[in-house]
Amino acid sequence: MISIDKQSFKGRRAIIRVDFNVPMDSNKNVLDNSRIKAAKSTILKVIKDGGSTILMSHLGRPNGKEESCSLRHVLNETQKVLGLNVLFAGDALGQKTEDLISALKPGQVLLLENLRFYPEETSGDEMFAKKLASYADCYINDAFGTAHRAHASTTIIAKFFKNNKYSGHLLSKEVDSIKKVLETGKKPVLAILGGAKVSSKITIIESVLNKVDEIIIGGGMSFTFIKALGGQIGESICEDDKLNLALSILEKAKQKGVIIHLPQDVICSKEFSDDGDKKTASINNIPANWQGLDAGPKSREVFAKVVNRAKTILWNGPIGVFELKSFSSGTIELGESIIESTKNGAFSLVGGGDSVSAVKKFNFQDGVSYVSTGGGAMLESLEGKELPGIAALSN
Ligand code: AMP
Protein backbone atom coordinates (compact mmCIF):
# COMPACT_ATOMS: atom_id res chain seq x y z
CA MET A 1 0.00 0.00 0.00
CA ILE A 2 1.55 3.30 -1.08
CA SER A 3 0.78 6.43 0.93
CA ILE A 4 -0.05 9.69 -0.85
CA ASP A 5 2.73 11.35 1.13
CA LYS A 6 5.32 9.71 -1.13
CA GLN A 7 3.74 11.27 -4.24
CA SER A 8 3.41 14.61 -5.93
CA PHE A 9 0.02 15.22 -7.53
CA LYS A 10 1.14 18.22 -9.58
CA GLY A 11 -0.85 18.28 -12.80
CA ARG A 12 -2.60 15.01 -11.93
CA ARG A 13 -6.31 14.31 -11.60
CA ALA A 14 -7.09 12.08 -8.62
CA ILE A 15 -10.36 10.27 -8.01
CA ILE A 16 -10.76 9.91 -4.25
CA ARG A 17 -13.17 7.50 -2.53
CA VAL A 18 -14.23 9.37 0.58
CA ASP A 19 -16.81 8.44 3.17
CA PHE A 20 -19.30 11.32 3.24
CA ASN A 21 -22.07 9.11 4.57
CA VAL A 22 -22.85 11.67 7.26
CA PRO A 23 -25.87 11.78 9.57
CA MET A 24 -28.46 14.46 8.65
CA ASP A 25 -31.60 15.86 10.28
CA SER A 26 -35.02 15.90 8.61
CA ASN A 27 -34.17 19.25 6.95
CA LYS A 28 -31.02 17.71 5.47
CA ASN A 29 -28.63 19.64 7.67
CA VAL A 30 -25.44 17.73 8.40
CA LEU A 31 -25.50 16.73 12.07
CA ASP A 32 -21.92 15.54 12.37
CA ASN A 33 -19.24 16.58 9.89
CA SER A 34 -16.40 14.47 11.33
CA ARG A 35 -16.25 12.20 8.28
CA ILE A 36 -15.80 15.21 6.00
CA LYS A 37 -13.16 16.63 8.32
CA ALA A 38 -11.42 13.25 8.33
CA ALA A 39 -10.97 13.39 4.52
CA LYS A 40 -9.78 17.00 4.48
CA SER A 41 -6.03 16.50 4.70
CA THR A 42 -5.99 13.99 1.83
CA ILE A 43 -7.99 16.29 -0.44
CA LEU A 44 -5.86 19.30 0.46
CA LYS A 45 -2.63 17.36 -0.13
CA VAL A 46 -3.62 16.78 -3.78
CA ILE A 47 -4.83 20.36 -4.24
CA LYS A 48 -1.74 21.91 -2.62
CA ASP A 49 0.50 19.77 -4.81
CA GLY A 50 -1.19 21.34 -7.84
CA GLY A 51 -3.59 18.54 -8.76
CA SER A 52 -7.34 18.35 -9.12
CA THR A 53 -9.70 15.96 -7.32
CA ILE A 54 -12.91 14.12 -8.04
CA LEU A 55 -14.62 13.05 -4.83
CA MET A 56 -16.94 10.04 -4.79
CA SER A 57 -18.97 8.60 -1.93
CA HIS A 58 -22.19 6.92 -0.98
CA LEU A 59 -24.86 8.43 1.27
CA GLY A 60 -27.47 6.29 2.98
CA ARG A 61 -29.11 3.29 1.36
CA PRO A 62 -31.09 4.70 -1.57
CA ASN A 63 -33.27 2.57 -3.75
CA GLY A 64 -32.36 4.12 -7.10
CA LYS A 65 -32.16 7.91 -7.41
CA GLU A 66 -33.67 9.27 -4.20
CA GLU A 67 -33.39 13.03 -3.76
CA SER A 68 -33.25 12.61 0.02
CA CYS A 69 -29.94 10.75 -0.40
CA SER A 70 -28.38 13.24 -2.80
CA LEU A 71 -24.85 14.32 -1.98
CA ARG A 72 -26.03 17.82 -2.93
CA HIS A 73 -27.06 18.02 0.75
CA VAL A 74 -23.45 17.76 1.93
CA LEU A 75 -22.03 20.20 -0.63
CA ASN A 76 -22.18 23.30 1.59
CA GLU A 77 -20.68 21.50 4.57
CA THR A 78 -17.90 20.11 2.36
CA GLN A 79 -17.09 23.61 1.09
CA LYS A 80 -17.06 24.95 4.65
CA VAL A 81 -14.80 22.19 5.95
CA LEU A 82 -12.37 22.37 3.02
CA GLY A 83 -12.46 26.14 2.76
CA LEU A 84 -12.75 25.70 -1.02
CA ASN A 85 -15.36 26.08 -3.70
CA VAL A 86 -16.56 22.58 -4.64
CA LEU A 87 -18.26 21.81 -7.97
CA PHE A 88 -21.12 19.34 -7.93
CA ALA A 89 -21.86 16.89 -10.72
CA GLY A 90 -25.55 16.03 -10.43
CA ASP A 91 -24.72 12.45 -11.46
CA ALA A 92 -21.89 9.94 -11.21
CA LEU A 93 -22.19 9.10 -14.92
CA GLY A 94 -23.32 10.94 -18.07
CA GLN A 95 -22.12 13.55 -20.54
CA LYS A 96 -22.52 16.51 -18.19
CA THR A 97 -20.34 14.81 -15.59
CA GLU A 98 -17.73 13.95 -18.21
CA ASP A 99 -17.70 17.54 -19.49
CA LEU A 100 -17.18 18.89 -15.96
CA ILE A 101 -14.33 16.45 -15.45
CA SER A 102 -12.61 17.37 -18.74
CA ALA A 103 -12.77 21.04 -17.77
CA LEU A 104 -11.39 20.43 -14.27
CA LYS A 105 -8.31 22.57 -13.59
CA PRO A 106 -5.52 22.13 -11.03
CA GLY A 107 -6.78 23.24 -7.62
CA GLN A 108 -10.40 22.36 -8.37
CA VAL A 109 -12.59 19.86 -6.51
CA LEU A 110 -15.59 18.10 -8.04
CA LEU A 111 -18.06 16.03 -6.04
CA LEU A 112 -19.91 13.24 -7.86
CA GLU A 113 -23.50 12.32 -7.02
CA ASN A 114 -24.21 9.41 -4.66
CA LEU A 115 -22.65 6.28 -6.17
CA ARG A 116 -25.38 4.09 -4.70
CA PHE A 117 -27.92 5.68 -7.05
CA TYR A 118 -26.50 2.95 -9.29
CA PRO A 119 -26.91 -0.67 -8.11
CA GLU A 120 -23.65 -1.36 -9.97
CA GLU A 121 -21.80 0.28 -7.07
CA THR A 122 -22.71 -2.28 -4.41
CA SER A 123 -22.70 -5.22 -6.84
CA GLY A 124 -19.09 -4.35 -7.66
CA ASP A 125 -19.78 -4.02 -11.38
CA GLU A 126 -16.57 -3.94 -13.44
CA MET A 127 -17.88 -1.70 -16.21
CA PHE A 128 -19.14 0.85 -13.70
CA ALA A 129 -15.78 0.77 -11.90
CA LYS A 130 -13.94 1.11 -15.22
CA LYS A 131 -16.01 4.16 -16.14
CA LEU A 132 -15.23 5.83 -12.80
CA ALA A 133 -11.56 4.93 -13.28
CA SER A 134 -11.54 6.61 -16.70
CA TYR A 135 -12.19 9.98 -15.02
CA ALA A 136 -8.74 10.21 -13.46
CA ASP A 137 -5.11 9.21 -13.76
CA CYS A 138 -4.80 8.05 -10.17
CA TYR A 139 -7.01 6.58 -7.44
CA ILE A 140 -6.91 7.31 -3.72
CA ASN A 141 -8.93 5.35 -1.20
CA ASP A 142 -9.59 7.29 1.99
CA ALA A 143 -12.83 5.59 3.00
CA PHE A 144 -11.82 3.16 5.75
CA GLY A 145 -15.45 2.83 6.81
CA THR A 146 -16.29 0.98 3.57
CA ALA A 147 -12.97 -0.81 3.05
CA HIS A 148 -14.57 -4.11 4.12
CA ARG A 149 -16.92 -3.95 1.12
CA ALA A 150 -15.91 -5.17 -2.35
CA HIS A 151 -17.90 -2.40 -4.04
CA ALA A 152 -17.06 -0.79 -7.40
CA SER A 153 -15.57 2.38 -5.90
CA THR A 154 -13.93 0.84 -2.83
CA THR A 155 -12.24 -2.20 -4.38
CA ILE A 156 -12.96 -3.06 -8.01
CA ILE A 157 -11.83 0.32 -9.37
CA ALA A 158 -8.31 -0.26 -8.04
CA LYS A 159 -7.55 -2.86 -10.70
CA PHE A 160 -7.69 -0.14 -13.37
CA PHE A 161 -4.83 1.73 -11.69
CA LYS A 162 -1.85 -0.58 -11.74
CA ASN A 163 0.78 1.71 -10.25
CA ASN A 164 -1.29 4.78 -9.52
CA LYS A 165 -3.36 3.78 -6.50
CA TYR A 166 -2.72 5.14 -3.04
CA SER A 167 -4.01 5.16 0.50
CA GLY A 168 -5.21 8.50 1.81
CA HIS A 169 -4.18 9.85 5.21
CA LEU A 170 -7.24 8.51 7.03
CA LEU A 171 -6.97 5.01 5.60
CA SER A 172 -3.22 4.91 6.35
CA LYS A 173 -3.82 6.07 9.94
CA GLU A 174 -6.44 3.37 10.51
CA VAL A 175 -4.25 0.62 9.07
CA ASP A 176 -1.20 1.83 11.01
CA SER A 177 -3.09 1.96 14.29
CA ILE A 178 -4.34 -1.62 13.89
CA LYS A 179 -0.77 -2.72 13.10
CA LYS A 180 0.53 -0.84 16.13
CA VAL A 181 -1.80 -2.89 18.31
CA LEU A 182 -1.88 -6.32 16.72
CA GLU A 183 1.55 -6.60 15.11
CA THR A 184 4.14 -4.25 16.46
CA GLY A 185 2.57 -3.27 19.79
CA LYS A 186 4.93 -2.73 22.76
CA LYS A 187 4.33 -5.29 25.49
CA PRO A 188 2.32 -5.77 27.57
CA VAL A 189 -0.43 -5.58 24.97
CA LEU A 190 -3.91 -5.40 26.49
CA ALA A 191 -7.30 -5.91 24.83
CA ILE A 192 -10.38 -4.68 26.67
CA LEU A 193 -13.47 -6.39 25.34
CA GLY A 194 -16.87 -5.37 26.60
CA GLY A 195 -20.35 -4.99 25.23
CA ALA A 196 -23.46 -7.06 25.42
CA LYS A 197 -22.78 -10.41 23.83
CA VAL A 198 -20.02 -12.99 23.58
CA SER A 199 -21.49 -14.18 20.28
CA SER A 200 -20.74 -10.90 18.51
CA LYS A 201 -17.14 -10.88 19.78
CA ILE A 202 -16.05 -14.51 19.46
CA THR A 203 -13.98 -14.01 16.34
CA ILE A 204 -12.30 -10.97 17.86
CA ILE A 205 -11.50 -12.80 21.10
CA GLU A 206 -10.08 -15.75 19.20
CA SER A 207 -8.03 -13.50 16.94
CA VAL A 208 -6.59 -11.33 19.74
CA LEU A 209 -5.71 -14.38 21.83
CA ASN A 210 -2.80 -14.85 19.45
CA LYS A 211 -1.66 -11.26 19.69
CA VAL A 212 -2.05 -9.89 23.22
CA ASP A 213 -0.68 -10.53 26.71
CA GLU A 214 -3.76 -9.69 28.77
CA ILE A 215 -7.49 -9.38 28.15
CA ILE A 216 -10.10 -7.64 30.26
CA ILE A 217 -13.53 -9.10 29.61
CA GLY A 218 -16.19 -6.76 30.98
CA GLY A 219 -19.77 -5.66 30.44
CA GLY A 220 -22.67 -7.92 29.64
CA MET A 221 -20.59 -10.60 27.99
CA SER A 222 -18.62 -11.32 31.15
CA PHE A 223 -21.66 -13.04 32.70
CA THR A 224 -21.53 -15.89 30.21
CA PHE A 225 -17.98 -16.57 31.43
CA ILE A 226 -18.94 -16.21 35.10
CA LYS A 227 -21.88 -18.60 34.76
CA ALA A 228 -19.72 -21.07 32.84
CA LEU A 229 -17.31 -21.01 35.79
CA GLY A 230 -20.15 -21.82 38.20
CA GLY A 231 -21.08 -18.31 39.44
CA GLN A 232 -24.62 -17.21 40.35
CA ILE A 233 -25.43 -14.35 37.97
CA GLY A 234 -29.08 -13.68 38.88
CA GLU A 235 -30.93 -12.07 35.97
CA SER A 236 -27.79 -10.75 34.26
CA ILE A 237 -27.58 -11.01 30.51
CA CYS A 238 -26.16 -14.39 29.49
CA GLU A 239 -25.93 -16.60 26.41
CA ASP A 240 -26.53 -20.09 27.73
CA ASP A 241 -25.57 -21.68 24.42
CA LYS A 242 -22.10 -20.13 24.69
CA LEU A 243 -21.08 -21.50 28.10
CA ASN A 244 -18.84 -24.20 26.63
CA LEU A 245 -17.35 -21.73 24.22
CA ALA A 246 -16.54 -19.41 27.13
CA LEU A 247 -14.75 -22.25 28.92
CA SER A 248 -12.81 -23.16 25.80
CA ILE A 249 -11.71 -19.53 25.37
CA LEU A 250 -10.46 -19.50 28.97
CA GLU A 251 -8.62 -22.79 28.36
CA LYS A 252 -7.02 -21.52 25.14
CA ALA A 253 -5.91 -18.36 26.91
CA LYS A 254 -4.28 -20.46 29.63
CA GLN A 255 -2.42 -22.53 27.05
CA LYS A 256 -1.17 -19.41 25.31
CA GLY A 257 -0.20 -17.69 28.55
CA VAL A 258 -2.70 -14.86 28.03
CA ILE A 259 -4.06 -13.51 31.33
CA ILE A 260 -7.81 -12.97 31.33
CA HIS A 261 -9.33 -10.56 33.85
CA LEU A 262 -13.03 -10.95 34.57
CA PRO A 263 -14.94 -8.54 36.86
CA GLN A 264 -14.83 -9.37 40.58
CA ASP A 265 -17.90 -7.41 41.56
CA VAL A 266 -20.77 -5.59 39.89
CA ILE A 267 -23.27 -2.82 40.45
CA CYS A 268 -26.62 -4.47 40.04
CA SER A 269 -30.27 -3.54 39.96
CA LYS A 270 -33.66 -5.21 39.69
CA GLU A 271 -34.52 -2.98 36.76
CA PHE A 272 -32.81 -2.12 33.50
CA SER A 273 -33.23 1.61 34.21
CA ASP A 274 -31.92 4.45 36.36
CA ASP A 275 -34.91 4.22 38.66
CA GLY A 276 -34.53 0.90 40.46
CA ASP A 277 -32.64 0.09 43.70
CA LYS A 278 -28.94 -0.50 43.22
CA LYS A 279 -26.36 -2.44 45.14
CA THR A 280 -22.88 -3.90 44.76
CA ALA A 281 -22.60 -7.68 44.64
CA SER A 282 -19.75 -10.13 44.34
CA ILE A 283 -19.61 -11.33 40.75
CA ASN A 284 -20.28 -14.96 41.78
CA ASN A 285 -23.21 -14.15 44.04
CA ILE A 286 -25.63 -11.88 42.27
CA PRO A 287 -28.98 -12.40 44.02
CA ALA A 288 -31.94 -13.85 42.11
CA ASN A 289 -33.97 -11.11 40.32
CA TRP A 290 -30.97 -8.74 40.23
CA GLN A 291 -28.86 -8.06 37.16
CA GLY A 292 -25.29 -6.82 36.88
CA LEU A 293 -25.17 -3.58 34.91
CA ASP A 294 -21.78 -2.01 35.66
CA ALA A 295 -18.33 -2.93 36.95
CA GLY A 296 -18.12 -2.74 40.75
CA PRO A 297 -15.40 -0.92 42.75
CA LYS A 298 -13.04 -3.92 43.11
CA SER A 299 -13.27 -4.68 39.40
CA ARG A 300 -12.54 -1.07 38.53
CA GLU A 301 -9.48 -1.09 40.77
CA VAL A 302 -8.08 -4.21 39.11
CA PHE A 303 -8.92 -2.97 35.60
CA ALA A 304 -7.18 0.36 36.33
CA LYS A 305 -4.02 -1.49 37.47
CA VAL A 306 -3.98 -3.65 34.35
CA VAL A 307 -4.54 -0.63 32.10
CA ASN A 308 -1.83 1.25 33.95
CA ARG A 309 0.86 -1.34 33.25
CA ALA A 310 -0.14 -1.85 29.60
CA LYS A 311 2.01 -0.29 26.89
CA THR A 312 -0.49 -1.00 24.10
CA ILE A 313 -4.25 -0.92 24.59
CA LEU A 314 -7.14 -1.91 22.36
CA TRP A 315 -10.60 -1.01 23.65
CA ASN A 316 -13.68 -2.53 22.08
CA GLY A 317 -16.98 -2.42 23.95
CA PRO A 318 -18.22 -0.64 27.09
CA ILE A 319 -17.97 -2.44 30.44
CA GLY A 320 -21.43 -1.43 31.61
CA VAL A 321 -24.69 0.03 30.41
CA PHE A 322 -23.05 3.41 29.80
CA GLU A 323 -26.21 4.82 28.21
CA LEU A 324 -27.81 4.89 31.71
CA LYS A 325 -26.26 7.41 34.10
CA SER A 326 -26.38 5.04 37.09
CA PHE A 327 -24.30 2.42 35.27
CA SER A 328 -21.89 4.60 33.33
CA SER A 329 -19.16 5.16 35.96
CA GLY A 330 -17.32 1.88 35.28
CA THR A 331 -16.91 2.78 31.61
CA ILE A 332 -16.00 6.39 32.49
CA GLU A 333 -13.35 5.32 35.00
CA LEU A 334 -11.95 2.81 32.53
CA GLY A 335 -11.73 5.56 29.88
CA GLU A 336 -9.94 7.80 32.39
CA SER A 337 -7.40 5.06 33.16
CA ILE A 338 -6.77 4.57 29.44
CA ILE A 339 -6.17 8.31 29.06
CA GLU A 340 -3.77 8.25 32.03
CA SER A 341 -1.88 5.30 30.59
CA THR A 342 -1.73 7.03 27.19
CA LYS A 343 -0.24 10.12 28.88
CA ASN A 344 2.42 7.82 30.30
CA GLY A 345 3.38 6.60 26.85
CA ALA A 346 0.99 3.76 26.01
CA PHE A 347 -0.57 3.56 22.54
CA SER A 348 -4.36 3.28 22.79
CA LEU A 349 -6.80 2.45 20.04
CA VAL A 350 -10.55 2.60 20.50
CA GLY A 351 -12.30 0.71 17.78
CA GLY A 352 -15.59 -0.73 16.74
CA GLY A 353 -19.14 -0.02 17.76
CA ASP A 354 -20.25 1.19 21.12
CA SER A 355 -16.93 1.96 22.77
CA VAL A 356 -16.56 4.66 20.11
CA SER A 357 -19.98 6.08 21.09
CA ALA A 358 -18.92 5.97 24.74
CA VAL A 359 -15.66 7.77 23.96
CA LYS A 360 -17.59 10.49 22.09
CA LYS A 361 -20.26 10.75 24.80
CA PHE A 362 -17.69 11.24 27.57
CA ASN A 363 -15.28 13.32 25.45
CA PHE A 364 -12.34 10.95 25.69
CA GLN A 365 -11.28 11.31 22.05
CA ASP A 366 -8.45 13.76 22.67
CA GLY A 367 -6.90 11.66 25.43
CA VAL A 368 -6.53 8.38 23.55
CA SER A 369 -4.07 7.75 20.72
CA TYR A 370 -6.63 6.92 18.03
CA VAL A 371 -10.38 6.49 17.68
CA SER A 372 -11.29 4.42 14.65
CA THR A 373 -13.80 5.87 12.17
CA GLY A 374 -14.83 2.48 10.80
CA GLY A 375 -17.31 0.32 12.72
CA GLY A 376 -17.63 -2.82 10.61
CA ALA A 377 -14.28 -2.32 8.90
CA MET A 378 -12.49 -2.05 12.25
CA LEU A 379 -14.28 -5.12 13.65
CA GLU A 380 -13.28 -7.17 10.61
CA SER A 381 -9.69 -5.99 10.91
CA LEU A 382 -9.63 -7.00 14.57
CA GLU A 383 -11.01 -10.38 13.56
CA GLY A 384 -7.85 -10.75 11.50
CA LYS A 385 -9.56 -10.48 8.12
CA GLU A 386 -7.91 -8.80 5.16
CA LEU A 387 -10.22 -6.00 3.99
CA PRO A 388 -10.86 -6.11 0.21
CA GLY A 389 -10.50 -2.34 -0.19
CA ILE A 390 -7.07 -2.44 1.45
CA ALA A 391 -5.91 -5.59 -0.35
CA ALA A 392 -6.91 -3.98 -3.68
CA LEU A 393 -4.46 -1.13 -3.09
CA SER A 394 -1.57 -3.58 -2.83
CA ASN A 395 -2.37 -6.02 -5.65
P1 AMP B 1 -21.65 -4.09 21.76
O1 AMP B 1 -22.35 -3.40 20.63
O2 AMP B 1 -21.60 -5.57 21.67
O3 AMP B 1 -20.28 -3.47 22.04
O4 AMP B 1 -22.54 -3.85 23.05
C1 AMP B 1 -22.72 -2.59 23.58
C2 AMP B 1 -23.89 -2.60 24.50
O5 AMP B 1 -23.59 -3.46 25.58
C3 AMP B 1 -24.17 -1.25 25.09
O6 AMP B 1 -25.40 -0.80 24.59
C4 AMP B 1 -24.25 -1.51 26.59
O7 AMP B 1 -25.36 -0.92 27.22
C5 AMP B 1 -24.39 -3.02 26.66
N1 AMP B 1 -23.93 -3.57 27.94
C6 AMP B 1 -22.76 -3.37 28.54
N2 AMP B 1 -22.74 -3.97 29.74
C7 AMP B 1 -23.95 -4.56 29.92
C8 AMP B 1 -24.56 -5.31 30.97
N3 AMP B 1 -23.89 -5.58 32.09
N4 AMP B 1 -25.81 -5.75 30.80
C9 AMP B 1 -26.49 -5.47 29.66
N5 AMP B 1 -25.97 -4.77 28.63
C10 AMP B 1 -24.71 -4.31 28.76
Side-chain angles (χ1 to χ4, degrees):
M1 205 168 80
I2 304 169
S3 153
I4 51 169
D5 285 331
K6 300 202 172 92
Q7 305 298 314
S8 166
F9 291 90
K10 191 171 169 36
R12 297 166 84 187
R13 198 191 291 145
I15 189 157
I16 311 181
R17 179 52 158 102
V18 289
D19 181 2
F20 284 179
N21 184 30
V22 292
M24 288 187 295
D25 66 15
S26 53
N27 294 320
K28 299 291 160 203
N29 297 307
V30 175
L31 288 172
D32 179 356
N33 65 6
S34 24
R35 286 183 170 162
I36 305 174
K37 279 188 182 155
K40 180 176 173 175
S41 78
T42 293
I43 300 165
L44 291 190
K45 152 80 180 151
V46 177
I47 296 299
K48 281 183 185 156
D49 275 3
S52 56
T53 66
I54 301 160
L55 308 180
M56 55 177 176
S57 177
H58 74 285
L59 177 62
R61 293 176 176 220
N63 205 347
K65 294 186 183 182
E66 278 179 36
E67 157 60 18
S68 62
C69 291
S70 171
L71 276 165
R72 189 184 302 281
H73 304 302
V74 306
L75 187 63
N76 275 344
E77 196 62 35
T78 306
Q79 302 195 106
K80 249 192 256 163
V81 170
L82 297 181
L84 291 171
N85 182 40
V86 176
L87 304 166
F88 182 66
D91 201 340
L93 303 180
Q95 194 56 51
K96 190 184 150 220
T97 302
E98 288 178 34
D99 291 346
L100 278 168
I101 289 168
S102 318
L104 211 57
K105 296 191 187 66
Q108 285 190 316
V109 182
L110 172 74
L111 174 65
L112 298 184
E113 179 56 287
N114 192 345
L115 296 172
R116 290 199 190 164
F117 281 3
Y118 291 91
E120 288 89 341
E121 162 63 359
T122 44
S123 68
D125 184 86
E126 288 230 357
M127 292 317 289
F128 183 65
K130 194 173 178 186
K131 186 77 213 172
L132 296 172
S134 74
Y135 295 163
D137 51 57
C138 56
Y139 167 66
I140 301 173
N141 190 349
D142 211 20
F144 180 74
T146 49
H148 59 314
R149 309 266 185 229
H151 293 170
S153 68
T154 62
T155 301
I156 311 302
I157 189 173
K159 71 170 73 160
F160 301 104
F161 295 93
K162 267 216 149 35
N163 298 311
N164 295 315
K165 48 189 172 187
Y166 313 108
S167 63
H169 288 149
L170 174 69
L171 194 89
S172 298
K173 251 193 260 165
E174 295 274 356
V175 172
D176 286 350
S177 65
I178 297 162
K179 263 197 202 146
K180 267 192 198 165
V181 169
L182 295 183
E183 287 174 33
T184 58
K186 265 203 212 154
K187 285 170 163 288
V189 182
L190 165 70
I192 305 165
L193 303 174
K197 290 184 170 178
V198 180
S199 52
S200 62
K201 306 274 160 118
I202 296 167
T203 345
I204 297 183
I205 304 179
E206 289 184 335
S207 160
V208 300
L209 267 179
N210 298 312
K211 314 270 185 184
V212 305
D213 304 297
E214 302 191 60
I215 302 179
I216 288 175
I217 295 182
M221 74 171 179
S222 62
F223 298 107
T224 302
F225 287 84
I226 300 297
K227 184 166 177 183
L229 290 167
Q232 305 293 316
I233 61 163
E235 286 296 305
S236 307
I237 186 172
C238 178
E239 288 166 283
D240 283 325
D241 59 332
K242 297 287 178 292
L243 297 177
N244 284 334
L245 179 79
L247 289 178
S248 84
I249 289 171
L250 294 175
E251 186 51 40
K252 267 190 209 158
K254 211 187 214 172
Q255 283 166 12
K256 290 177 191 288
V258 176
I259 307 169
I260 296 209
H261 304 273
L262 287 161
Q264 302 192 353
D265 56 357
V266 272
I267 311 289
C268 43
S269 175
K270 283 186 179 168
E271 287 174 39
F272 193 90
S273 82
D274 278 314
D275 307 326
D277 289 343
K278 293 161 210 73
K279 66 177 177 186
T280 303
S282 147
I283 195 80
N284 290 313
N285 285 305
I286 301 173
N289 302 325
W290 291 71
Q291 51 185 315
L293 296 172
D294 194 11
K298 272 193 217 149
S299 312
R300 294 180 200 181
E301 206 183 306
V302 174
F303 292 172
K305 256 192 214 151
V306 176
V307 167
N308 204 6
R309 66 173 174 245
K311 290 278 170 283
T312 305
I313 303 165
L314 163 71
W315 183 17
N316 175 282
I319 58 158
V321 183
F322 73 97
E323 298 92 336
L324 298 175
K325 197 167 185 301
S326 315
F327 309 105
S328 58
S329 334
T331 298
I332 294 176
E333 285 180 26
L334 178 72
E336 287 167 352
S337 313
I338 296 174
I339 290 175
E340 195 54 38
S341 196
T342 309
K343 266 192 207 145
N344 294 331
F347 177 81
S348 53
L349 163 66
V350 186
D354 267 354
S355 36
V356 174
S357 326
V359 160
K360 286 191 177 155
K361 180 169 180 182
F362 303 123
N363 263 322
F364 291 152
Q365 56 271 38
D366 294 335
V368 297
S369 310
Y370 193 67
V371 182
S372 174
T373 58
M378 177 49 79
L379 290 179
E380 291 196 17
S381 302
L382 297 177
E383 287 171 358
K385 293 184 189 152
E386 186 177 47
L387 308 187
I390 289 169
L393 289 180
S394 305
N395 297 336

